Every structure is written in C-alpha cells, then in structure tokens.
Amino acid sequence: MADININSIWEDLSNQIKNCSKCILCKTRKNVVIGEGRRENCKLVIIGEGPGETEDEQGRPFVGRAGDLLTRFLNDARIPRDSIYITNIVKCRPPENRDPAKDETLACSDFLESQLLLLRPSLVITLGNPATKWFLGTSQGITRVRGNWVDWRGIQLMPTFHPSYILRQKIASEYNNLVALVRKDFASARMKLDALK
C-alpha cells in the first residue's frame, strides 16, 4: 500500500513540475526535465545545475556530451546509471546554458526538496558550483570543496566538477587532470555504496 501512495505522490509531483510557471524559464523551455533513474531503494542521487540544449530537446537529464562523460565516470566506478537517480536544481533550461538565477533556483527548490524526501538517498553528488551552493550555501568555489564528503540533513554529500566544465577545457593536461579528480570522486562514492550493503 505504501508503494502505491509513494507512486501517487511522485506522479502528482511530476505533474506539478511539468505544469510549473513560477519563473521565466517556463517561457523558453521545450521540455521540463524532471529527472530519471531508480526511485525505489535509491542510494545515490546525482544533481547538476540545469538542463542543457539536448536535455531540453529530449526531456531527460544528462543526455548530451556532458551526459556521455558522466556515464563514463559512472561506468569507470562500476555504478550502473540505472541504479541511481539523476536530476538538476532547476528543471527547465536556462537560456544559452547560463547558470540558473537565484529566483529560478528558489522557484524549483520545493520540487528538489520533495524529490529528495521521496527518494531518501544515502548519498548525493553535486556537480558544479550552482548545485553545490544550493546545498551548502557556501561562497567557496567547487575547486575548494570538491571531493570532500559532508553531512547534509543526514545524507552524505560530495561536490565534484560538472562534466560540462571539464569539456570546456582547452588544454589537454587540464582536461586530463580534472577527469582524474572526478574519477577519484566517483571511486570514493563506489566505496561508500559498497559500505551501505
């Protein structure tokens, strides 16, 4: 019976998100990107900043080039993509893939909070500055806080670099260095997942 209620609540939440018009992003979106992945017994949630162009087209998170790189990190760490849930702090694409504005993240905050309440993950990985700042309220940049596990309302949370940031690196050595750091972060998440079993 509890499963039916959770599914019903999730469906109601999804409909609210799809029909949201709380901020200006609703005017330019093609599709709302709610998130996807495992909802039952979900141990890990990965949270980015907002949908990009490909995600807006398909209505799915992390399906463009950044999504390919994220999938590579997951595969390297032996974390099946279908075993986790992936979403963003805002559910509609900011124009030109800019960072979400404060009022936009505020408009979506209740949706993300509700998703986390329903998913009840043990671990969260935030990708990039906007997602990390949403959770930790820190003024420190991602370079200072990445790779460190912190407690967030009883959930173990670790920030790391956003795959799109890595893809924007023009110098091969910088790209390779960032890839190595994120691989290390996902390996740490794999160890945490193994400890939960």
Side-chain angles (χ1 to χ4, degrees), residues 17 31-34 51 87-92 108 111-112 115:
I17 298 171
N31 286 293
V32 177
V33 183
I34 295 169
T87 190
N88 290 292
I89 55 170
V90 297
K91 312 304 184 190
C92 300
C108 264
F111 296 145
L112 182 56
Q115 285 180 308

Side-chain angles (χ1 to χ4, degrees), residues 158-175:
M158 179 184 57
T160 194
F161 296 111
H162 196 290
S164 64
Y165 170 72
I166 297 171
L167 290 169
R168 288 195 300 271
Q169 301 310 303
K170 304 290 186 215
I171 302 168
S173 59
E174 272 303 303
Y175 174 88

Side-chain angles (χ1 to χ4, degrees), residues 110-121:
D110 287 347
F111 296 145
L112 182 56
E113 294 257 14
S114 297
Q115 285 180 308
L116 291 170
L117 279 171
L118 291 170
L119 293 165
R120 295 175 29 223

Side-chain angles (χ1 to χ4, degrees), residues 104-179:
E104 294 159 1
T105 58
L106 192 60
C108 264
S109 286
D110 287 347
F111 296 145
L112 182 56
E113 294 257 14
S114 297
Q115 285 180 308
L116 291 170
L117 279 171
L118 291 170
L119 293 165
R120 295 175 29 223
S122 302
L123 308 173
V124 164
I125 295 176
T126 56
L127 303 175
N129 274 321
T132 300
K133 288 179 178 180
W134 187 92
F135 280 91
L136 303 183
T138 180
S139 59
Q140 290 185 313
I142 191 71
T143 306
R144 292 206 103 145
V145 296
R146 71 134 284 276
N148 296 310
W149 290 98
V150 296
D151 181 81
W152 183 82
R153 301 183 191 173
I155 297 170
Q156 287 294 297
L157 181 144
M158 179 184 57
T160 194
F161 296 111
H162 196 290
S164 64
Y165 170 72
I166 297 171
L167 290 169
R168 288 195 300 271
Q169 301 310 303
K170 304 290 186 215
I171 302 168
S173 59
E174 272 303 303
Y175 174 88
N176 292 332
N177 182 44
L178 292 170
V179 165

Side-chain angles (χ1 to χ4, degrees), residues 30-103:
K30 290 182 181 169
N31 286 293
V32 177
V33 183
I34 295 169
E36 70 177 16
R38 182 179 210 142
R39 296 196 328 239
E40 200 172 306
N41 195 27
C42 176
K43 302 287 186 215
L44 169 63
V45 175
I46 294 180
I47 302 171
E49 58 194 56
E53 184 177 8
T54 309
E55 290 77 14
D56 186 40
E57 291 281 347
Q58 296 186 28
R60 297 177 55 216
F62 286 91
V63 289
R65 287 179 62 232
D68 291 341
L69 185 54
L70 174 61
T71 300
R72 212 169 94 204
F73 290 138
L74 290 167
N75 290 340
D76 289 347
R78 297 175 297 105
I79 302 171
R81 188 168 164 139
D82 63 2
S83 72
I84 64 170
Y85 194 83
I86 303 174
T87 190
N88 290 292
I89 55 170
V90 297
K91 312 304 184 190
C92 300
R93 180 190 179 206
E96 307 302 317
N97 293 351
R98 64 164 169 74
D99 288 350
K102 192 169 184 178
D103 64 313

